[in-house]
């Protein structure tokens, strides 16, 4: 599955204090009409880059787009709820885990 990833793929940054998607969208949904909500979902799903939202406390994937699904060969159901290390090549998982922990600690 994750062995299909480009070996040059790497995390490029982090968002601090990102609320869970449920909380984030719950607060914003009051201000979004259905067209705006659909536009956001399409932008996320069809982004030219792989996008994964990870819970920083648990390392669990809470959202993923179509590009990361194609890159890993995993379905959305396999990705969401799994630890983020599933998306990295097996021989590099420890390196990415350490990088993730360092980013979260910043």
């Amino acid at each position: 599955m994750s062995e299909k990833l480009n070996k040059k793929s790497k995390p490029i940054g982090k968002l601090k204090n990102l609320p869970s998607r449920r909380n984030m969208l719950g607060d914003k949904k009051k201000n979004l009409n259905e067209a705006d909500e659909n536009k956001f979902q399409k932008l996320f799903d069809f982004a030219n880059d792989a996008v994964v939202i990870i819970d920083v406390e648990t390392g669990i994937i809470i959202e993923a787009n179509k590009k990361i699904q194609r890159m890993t060969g995993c379905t959305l159901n396999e990705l969401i709820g799994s630890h983020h290390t599933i998306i990295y090549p097996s021989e590099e998982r420890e390196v990415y885990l350490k990088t993730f922990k360092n980013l979260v600690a910043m």
Side-chain angles (χ1 to χ4, degrees):
M1 290 197 280
S2 60
E3 280 67 23
K4 295 180 185 179
L5 277 177
N6 179 338
K7 300 259 183 189
K8 295 180 182 177
S9 298
K10 62 182 178 180
I12 58 171
K14 71 170 186 165
L15 298 174
K16 279 193 161 191
N17 301 322
L18 181 67
S20 72
R21 181 170 187 247
R22 182 181 307 126
N23 291 339
M24 181 174 62
L25 293 180
D27 292 342
K28 300 292 182 194
K29 276 187 179 180
K30 296 172 188 166
N31 300 323
L32 292 177
N33 64 36
E34 190 172 323
D36 289 336
E37 200 172 326
N38 288 337
K39 187 186 328 180
F40 169 79
Q41 192 63 48
K42 285 181 183 177
L43 285 170
F44 181 83
D45 287 340
F46 296 103
N48 204 27
D49 296 309
V51 180
V52 180
I53 299 174
I54 302 167
D55 182 301
V56 296
E57 292 178 7
T58 64
I60 300 297
I61 298 170
I62 56 176
E63 190 65 70
N65 71 353
K66 294 179 187 298
K67 183 77 171 206
I68 193 70
Q69 291 176 65
R70 286 192 298 271
M71 288 175 68
T72 62
C74 296
T75 66
L76 190 59
N77 288 335
E78 291 171 322
L79 290 167
I80 294 177
S82 295
H83 197 267
H84 69 92
T85 53
I86 191 175
I87 66 175
Y88 309 120
S90 57
E91 66 275 5
E92 296 180 19
R93 287 185 178 149
E94 289 301 317
V95 172
Y96 283 107
L97 184 58
K98 183 177 179 179
T99 301
F100 178 80
K101 287 179 180 179
N102 289 337
L103 284 171
V104 169
M106 293 176 119

